[in-house]
Amino acid sequence: MAVPASVMELTERIMELKRERNAVILAHNYQRPEVQDVADVLGDSLALARAAARTDAQVIVFCGVHFMAETAALLNPGKTVLLPDLEAGCSLADSITAEQLRAWKAEHPGAVVVAYVNTSAEVKAESDYCCTSSNAVEVVASIPEDREILFLPDMFLGSYVQRVTGRRMHIWMGECHVHAGIRPTDVQSVLRSHPDAELLVHPECGCSTSNLYLAAEGMLPQERTRILSTGGMLKHADESPAKEFVVATETGILHQMQRRHPDKRFIPANPDAVCPFMKRITLEKVYEALRDGRHVIQVPEEIAARARVAIERMIQIG
Ligand code: 13P
Ligand code: SF4
């Protein structure tokens, strides 16, 4: 069957199919603008996991990447979770396998494992806690002081959490290739041209820990530098009286910021910070996913049961 050609037609058909299938569309803040515009819930990883946990809809169309759809499926065993493109992966999630984690745990018997949500269900099943960029600090702070911690897979988020909590942790050396590409030099050069702007930095960035250091040393405006999840950045842009913001994360978020605040200016720290996995989801694929019920994401119950414990702890904290 032919796919409607225009954005308006596609949007209308998506809305109709959504009603017919009793579906909800969840979209991450990095999605394409036109996909963000058809979403029922738009948010960061934690907000989307929470929305998936409480939805009454029978079908969840997940406009994000594979691990996020897996998390939604884990939390909704009786529902159908659809990912419009199976190639929507994540380089960070791919940086550690369950086998590598088992080997790491064997080197540190008794350690508490904290896994960032950007991991496969199998890795989550080997973990004690999951966390996202919005609650990583709270999750680590909730672990008794005398326990050894293995934090994975993002080294920048790990170093940031270590610095903020003062806890010593073993940190896996994984990275997201998109955020690692946002360097301190990018940030400093954009800030030079926008001296009054606030600086919003995602903790996955290659620049996040050095920004904390530079802010502490007075080399960056400490009072105007914020390390935030994508949801935290949006909230901050809503509440701050500032008129200009330098945004150090994937550029998809700028659509939402600009839409909510046409009177403010949002400048990407690096305009090339585009996640090719997030951008695999197009409006055509969302339409086809609803029309044909594809691609169903399922997690074997034996893995799901163990992964759910870590995810539910994440949803409760922060
Ligand atoms: P957030 O949870 O801050 O939305 O981050 C998710 C992600 O994939 C960052 O690259
Ligand atoms: Fe993964 Fe990075 Fe893309 Fe986020 S931006 S989904 S961490 S590859």
Side-chain angles (χ1 to χ4, degrees):
M1 209 191 297
V3 174
S6 73
V7 168
M8 204 196 281
E9 232 185 303
L10 264 170
T11 304
E12 274 170 26
R13 289 293 296 133
I14 288 171
M15 295 305 163
E16 276 165 31
L17 282 171
K18 215 172 61 162
R19 279 191 296 276
E20 282 167 27
R21 309 274 197 263
N22 184 16
V24 67
I25 300 180
L26 308 186
H28 188 266
N29 293 321
Y30 299 158
Q31 288 290 292
R32 293 169 183 271
E34 62 278 15
V35 173
Q36 295 189 24
D37 292 346
V38 295
D40 297 290
V41 182
L42 188 67
D44 62 14
S45 308
L46 186 60
L48 295 178
R50 286 193 168 128
R54 62 168 187 259
T55 185
D56 292 329
Q58 189 44 45
V59 176
I60 298 172
V61 181
F62 210 106
C63 301
V65 293
H66 193 272
F67 75 82
M68 297 181 180
E70 258 187 355
T71 305
L74 284 164
L75 293 170
N76 289 285
K79 294 187 176 165
T80 306
V81 176
L82 304 175
L83 181 64
D85 186 328
L86 285 178
E87 300 293 311
C90 169
S91 56
L92 178 56
D94 286 347
S95 71
I96 186 164
T97 63
E99 206 179 326
Q100 285 172 314
L101 176 52
R102 281 191 287 272
W104 201 28
K105 281 163 68 173
E107 287 167 24
H108 301 276
V112 178
V113 179
V114 181
Y116 188 39
V117 70
N118 295 41
T119 42
S120 68
E122 278 167 284
V123 166
K124 290 185 176 80
E126 293 290 335
S127 306
D128 299 296
Y129 289 86
C130 257
C131 69
T132 71
S133 53
S134 0
N135 68 1
V137 167
E138 287 83 352
V139 168
V140 168
S142 75
I143 298 168
E145 296 272 343
D146 58 339
R147 300 295 300 275
E148 197 178 9
I149 298 175
L150 304 183
F151 187 95
L152 64 101
D154 189 73
M155 61 173 152
F156 298 113
L157 179 66
S159 320
Y160 165 69
V161 171
Q162 186 160 262
R163 203 169 230 278
V164 174
T165 60
R167 297 290 295 271
R168 281 194 36 76
M169 309 189 297
H170 302 279
I171 300 171
W172 190 257
M173 290 288 113
E175 64 176 26
C176 151
H177 73 290
V178 181
H179 283 89
I182 304 175
R183 312 304 315 169
T185 44
D186 297 332
V187 175
Q188 282 167 318
S189 104
V190 181
L191 276 179
R192 268 196 294 277
S193 344
H194 301 275
D196 297 326
E198 289 203 331
L199 172 62
L200 311 182
V201 184
H202 195 281
E204 275 176 28
C205 286
C207 60
S208 67
T209 38
S210 49
N211 273 326
L212 279 184
Y213 173 78
L214 293 175
E217 297 294 304
M219 285 143 88
L220 277 179
Q222 194 172 16
E223 67 297 344
R224 284 189 283 122
T225 302
R226 305 271 186 287
I227 312 277
L228 297 163
S229 70
T230 59
M233 287 183 181
L234 282 162
K235 188 164 177 282
H236 184 77
D238 289 347
E239 292 167 357
S240 166
K243 288 285 173 209
E244 279 197 330
F245 301 83
V246 171
V247 183
T249 192
E250 210 271 356
T251 57
I253 196 166
L254 298 169
H255 171 65
Q256 236 8 260
M257 290 176 158
Q258 209 60 76
R259 203 171 95 136
R260 282 152 75 149
H261 301 286
D263 57 320
K264 297 184 178 181
R265 186 146 178 239
F266 301 95
I267 305 118
N270 179 345
D272 297 328
V274 176
C275 174
F277 301 110
M278 286 281 178
K279 289 345 187 220
R280 287 202 67 93
I281 312 292
T282 61
L283 214 49
E284 285 83 355
K285 290 179 195 167
V286 175
Y287 167 74
E288 287 168 346
L290 274 163
R291 186 191 65 190
D292 305 336
R294 69 183 193 195
H295 303 273
V296 178
I297 302 299
Q298 279 168 323
V299 181
E301 189 44 38
E302 179 271 318
I303 292 171
R306 289 188 289 134
R308 224 173 266 132
V309 177
I311 293 172
E312 274 160 9
R313 285 181 180 151
M314 164 185 91
I315 290 180
Q316 277 152 22
I317 301 175

